[in-house]
Amino acid sequence: MTSVPTPEPWPLSHLGVDVGGTNIKAIVLTEIDGTPTVTNRTECRTLGETAEEILAQIAEIALGLAGETTGVGGLGFSLPGAIDRKAGTAGVMPNLPGSWHDLPVRSIVEDLVGLPTSVVNDARAFTLAESRLGAARGLGTVVGVTLGTGFGGGVAINGHLHEGASGFAGEIGHQILAIGGERCGCGNLGCAETFVRTQTLLEATGLPSVHAIFTQAAQGDPVAAAAVNSYIAHLAVALANVHTLLCPDAFVIGGGIAAAGAQLFDPLLRQIRALITFDHPESVHLRPAELGSIAGAIGAGLLAMDGVEPRIA
Ligand SMILES: [Zn+2]
């Protein structure tokens, strides 16, 4: 009896595109020896001035990468704002130009690209990527935290996003810390993000950048130090609340402000632990993100990989 050789399977790849206010990052994710691996990547400026132009740019970048790749199974893309994952529609996008509310973003991009497409919030994409392939791989319950312009987040359990009944779970930056507080970009008053965002640091100090604020704070400037202390104190309360609810194995912290390193992580961990009453304080763990600026694109690609029936191009 002769054995028939099994044909070499096509490499199955998925595309991930992460849209930010300044740049769009895109990657090709190919499963190699069972591990999703970035096999191609590109980055460019966000050029569109309307929602439709930005969605067309996403499609153009995806088609460019697909043209260089054999066997693309699908596309995932992330946007920096509210996404109704079930409906495939967008909500408020504070950091992108154009009118996004109720726009069927998933079907618009899917029609342009001709591939099965999924859409996700950018911080959720970050969380998925870090929980499966990055700083929290192998852990059970993971909370992703992105600290940049705003305060994003997400929850992953055993390497999959926990999105809740409606699909919106994980907006940890929009828990309310101050009743009747300052107006947040989401419309509510006193959200954690009104304290934990770049704009609040810049306004409190008059300094030109977050880097300058953390540097001046480290050198003992009292105004900069007070702004940094307030940022960390509010972030600690927000994460202590999340810990009380979820007792995660770890928080994975990324975004531009995480670059402050020990100046952020050491007091933050100390303060969260001081706020924990119904768990052992040493159960709180913070990990710096590992996947860098393409984490969101990787997460969007992973979502496409999970949700799309593989097919050969
Ligand atoms: Zn809010």
Side-chain angles (χ1 to χ4, degrees), residues 173-174 184-188 191 193:
H174 298 282
C184 179
C186 75
N188 250 336
C191 290
E193 187 173 272

Side-chain angles (χ1 to χ4, degrees), residues 31-272:
E31 201 151 324
I32 297 175
D33 298 330
T35 304
T37 307
V38 176
T39 50
N40 197 357
R41 61 187 280 186
T42 184
E43 182 169 351
C44 62
R45 305 282 294 177
T46 310
L47 297 174
E49 301 201 343
T50 66
E52 289 75 9
E53 284 174 6
I54 291 172
L55 294 171
Q57 199 185 352
I58 294 170
E60 189 186 330
I61 293 165
L63 286 169
L65 283 176
E68 300 170 8
T69 312
T70 306
V72 175
L75 160 70
F77 69 99
S78 66
L79 293 171
I83 298 293
D84 186 332
R85 291 245 305 131
K86 289 189 173 172
T89 55
V92 60
M93 293 286 153
N95 298 311
L96 290 180
S99 172
W100 292 84
H101 196 67
D102 282 342
L103 202 64
V105 291
R106 183 176 61 208
S107 62
I108 291 172
V109 172
E110 196 164 59
D111 289 349
L112 291 170
V113 175
L115 289 167
T117 297
S118 18
V119 61
V120 65
N121 162 273
D122 60 351
R124 240 74 89 222
F126 161 89
T127 302
L128 179 62
E130 289 290 344
S131 74
R132 206 178 295 175
L133 299 173
R137 60 191 174 275
L139 299 185
T141 302
V142 175
V143 175
V145 180
T146 57
L147 303 175
T149 309
F151 174 9
V155 178
I157 297 174
N158 298 327
H160 292 274
L161 284 179
H162 171 77
E163 300 184 276
S166 59
F168 289 97
E171 280 296 345
I172 61 176
H174 298 282
Q175 59 181 297
I176 293 168
L177 295 189
I179 295 172
E182 198 180 321
R183 181 77 61 188
C184 179
C186 75
N188 250 336
L189 299 176
C191 290
E193 187 173 272
T194 65
F195 302 96
V196 181
R197 63 182 173 190
T198 297
Q199 183 194 335
T200 301
L201 286 168
L202 298 176
E203 284 173 3
T205 58
L207 289 166
S209 69
V210 168
H211 178 74
I213 293 165
F214 276 82
T215 304
Q216 298 262 337
Q219 291 167 355
D221 177 83
V223 175
V228 167
N229 289 344
S230 171
Y231 183 99
I232 293 173
H234 287 91
L235 180 57
V237 171
L239 298 189
N241 289 345
V242 172
H243 187 91
T244 300
L245 186 66
L246 291 173
C247 294
D249 294 85
F251 293 93
V252 178
I253 302 185
I257 292 182
Q263 195 184 350
L264 170 74
F265 280 76
D266 292 353
L268 180 61
L269 180 62
R270 205 165 48 239
Q271 290 181 40
I272 299 170

Side-chain angles (χ1 to χ4, degrees), residues 287-313:
R287 294 188 181 188
E290 284 182 2
L291 299 175
S293 64
I294 56 168
I298 293 173
L302 285 171
L303 212 61
M305 204 172 250
D306 288 350
V308 168
E309 198 60 39
R311 65 182 189 187
I312 305 301

